[in-house]
Amino acid sequence: MSPNRPTLHRPVDGRPHQPLLQDERRRLSNTDFSHGNAEHRPMLHHSRRPTIRSPEYSAELATRRKYMIASGFLLLSLASFVVQTETAVYIQHELHWDKPYCMLYLTHGSWSLLWPVQLLILRIQKRKLSWEAFWRRHVYLLRTTAQMVESRDLHLTSRDLHRSPIPYMLRTTAFVTVALTIAGGSWYVAVNLTTASDLTAIYNCSAFFAYAFSIPLLKDKLRFDKVFSVVVAIVGVLVVAYGDRSESKQTPDGTVGKAKQEAENRLLGNIIIGVGSVLYGLYEVLYKRFACPPEGTSAGRSMIFANTFGSLIGCFTLLVLWIPLPILHMLGWEEFRVPTGEAAWMLLISVVANATFSGCFLVLISLTSPVLSSVAALLTIFLVAIVDWLRTGQPLSAASIVGGLLIIIAFFLLSWSTYREMNEEKRKSLEAEEMESECDD
């Protein structure tokens, strides 16, 4: 190593080195982005040259690790969504605590617990460290990751390091939360205006809009395999929604509607839920574009920051979005009533399950893509139907089985396409870093 090159390791006291050249870009150590070293390992350790590996092998290894972690969060998110759906149905239709906006406020507000719970888990893992050292490293990791998010670059300049990321994160939290709340609220507004079949089919077209917004905002390429996978998934949703004309149909968001031939104000309801579908797809892409670290960030760092941003959404909801509650109460549109007894306990379970699902979903988007995460969420339609079958004894219809299989096939096709795309991007990134390193030497 050249003696004139600055050290790649941050000193223990957390103060950055001054660059030797005025225009030199300060880089974070590669070890900060692999296996969560920045948040879990001592900053000072001996440096060694890694074993020589081809960019293809290294890229595949990194992508495979991300996918393994994402798979774990996917399974946890699917299980928690089923719990949240079944408890929401029970609360609204068995216990008759039908307060849609209040439930939306409580569930989204519960996201504020994601960061404290995460901090407790990290602290237990690193309990041998003093609290001062642990907290200093955690704050350093969140701050530098937020600076990467704002600059959209892994390599932070001296100017980036001295600029506070707080104003940017507050603005991003505000508009992402507003998009999410309007999208979620549209469901509850439209549920009594249109049929359950229309509600299910239109709202779950958000996977298509997520891909549509990914092209201009995330610079995604228009790929045939991705388009085909999204189309297959939406066809599966249409089969589930319209293939079975029973009197009562369970919708995937946990509300039950009567499948009438013509619901009152059906056109208005379809327009409202259509807007919600577009906004939900936009919310996913906005989160990926403006609140996720750039490609090349380690899985550990991405997970920690995703849950932290989820907490920011929860805090914004609690502090700002309570305002409609008294307005709705005074207008008589939704009278506020504190849940008691069994309703309170079931609501607590539903809220915790929703927070778990949402935290996992944010991590899933951060590690993969909004399109894959959106299609993965459609798997919950089939899972809820299976749980209802086991709970009520009513067998699955042919439409539910065929539609569910189409969604599963679409998910695996899209997973493979996204895996190859991420692998290729990682390989190109490693090749570029390798060439830049050779030039520096």
Side-chain angles (χ1 to χ4, degrees), residues 142-162:
L142 293 180
R143 180 182 175 87
T144 53
T145 307
Q147 289 165 337
M148 292 176 201
V149 172
E150 183 176 5
S151 63
R152 306 307 304 165
D153 196 348
L154 289 174
H155 306 303
L156 298 175
T157 64
S158 179
R159 180 181 179 182
D160 293 332
L161 288 166
H162 287 89

Side-chain angles (χ1 to χ4, degrees), residues 89-397:
V89 171
Y90 185 72
I91 291 167
Q92 292 186 42
H93 299 279
E94 298 293 333
L95 303 179
H96 306 292
W97 196 83
D98 189 10
K99 309 293 178 185
Y101 184 80
C102 186
M103 184 173 289
L104 181 71
Y105 172 78
L106 291 174
T107 52
H108 286 185
S110 69
W111 296 15
S112 58
L113 299 175
L114 292 173
W115 177 75
V117 171
Q118 172 185 259
L119 188 69
L120 176 62
I121 294 173
L122 291 176
R123 180 56 183 158
I124 292 174
Q125 290 177 343
K126 287 300 175 183
R127 54 188 177 275
K128 293 182 179 180
L129 289 177
S130 67
W131 169 254
E132 291 75 12
F134 170 79
W135 177 251
R136 185 169 60 247
R137 293 179 184 187
H138 186 69
V139 171
Y140 175 80
L141 180 139
L142 293 180
R143 180 182 175 87
T144 53
T145 307
Q147 289 165 337
M148 292 176 201
V149 172
E150 183 176 5
S151 63
R152 306 307 304 165
D153 196 348
L154 289 174
H155 306 303
L156 298 175
T157 64
S158 179
R159 180 181 179 182
D160 293 332
L161 288 166
H162 287 89
R163 182 172 55 204
S164 173
I166 294 177
Y168 173 83
M169 295 310 302
L170 291 178
R171 293 194 304 269
T172 302
T173 301
F175 75 78
V176 169
T177 307
V178 169
L180 170 63
T181 303
I182 296 176
S186 69
W187 177 278
Y188 296 104
V189 173
V191 70
N192 292 321
L193 298 177
T194 186
T195 63
S197 298
D198 288 359
L199 200 65
T200 302
I202 296 174
Y203 195 75
N204 285 291
C205 285
S206 60
F208 168 77
F209 294 113
Y211 189 37
F213 285 120
S214 293
I215 294 173
L217 293 178
L218 301 179
K219 308 302 180 186
D220 276 5
K221 296 178 181 178
L222 189 63
R223 296 167 57 104
F224 172 76
D225 50 358
K226 278 191 171 183
V227 174
F228 179 74
S229 300
V230 172
V231 169
V232 171
I234 293 177
V235 169
V237 173
L238 294 175
V239 170
V240 173
Y242 295 107
D244 182 19
R245 291 291 186 173
S246 59
E247 278 299 311
S248 178
K249 178 175 283 292
Q250 169 87 28
T251 61
D253 198 51
T255 53
V256 175
K258 296 294 183 182
K260 301 176 182 178
Q261 285 297 107
E262 292 292 333
E264 291 183 7
N265 303 315
R266 183 174 181 176
L267 177 60
L268 176 62
N270 286 350
I271 292 174
I272 292 173
I273 199 61
V275 173
S277 178
V278 174
L279 285 177
Y280 197 81
L282 178 61
Y283 146 72
E284 294 176 307
V285 177
L286 287 177
Y287 165 69
K288 180 68 174 180
R289 170 63 180 83
F290 295 105
C292 288
E295 292 298 325
T297 308
S298 72
R301 183 181 283 257
S302 297
M303 287 187 293
I304 291 174
F305 194 78
N307 283 316
T308 303
F309 187 78
S311 275
L312 292 178
I313 292 178
C315 291
F316 183 89
T317 301
L318 291 176
L319 296 175
V320 178
L321 298 182
W322 62 269
I323 298 174
L325 287 172
I327 297 175
L328 293 174
H329 180 77
M330 289 185 292
L331 293 175
W333 293 352
E334 182 181 311
E335 294 185 1
F336 181 78
R337 178 162 54 92
V338 177
T340 57
E342 187 180 4
W345 283 107
M346 295 303 293
L347 184 61
L348 177 62
I349 295 173
S350 182
V351 165
V352 171
N354 178 268
T356 304
F357 165 76
S358 301
C360 293
F361 192 67
L362 291 176
V363 172
L364 196 61
I365 295 177
S366 182
L367 294 180
T368 57
S369 73
V371 184
L372 179 60
S373 303
S374 188
V375 172
L378 299 183
L379 295 172
T380 58
I381 298 175
F382 193 40
L383 286 177
V384 169
I386 293 175
V387 171
D388 283 340
W389 170 37
L390 297 174
R391 186 171 58 86
T392 64
Q394 184 177 355
L396 294 176
S397 66

Side-chain angles (χ1 to χ4, degrees), residues 37-54:
N37 286 336
E39 62 269 25
H40 295 311
R41 295 187 182 180
M43 292 296 176
L44 294 176
H45 51 78
H46 69 277
S47 178
R48 65 179 182 183
R49 289 203 175 271
T51 305
I52 298 177
R53 293 174 177 171
S54 66

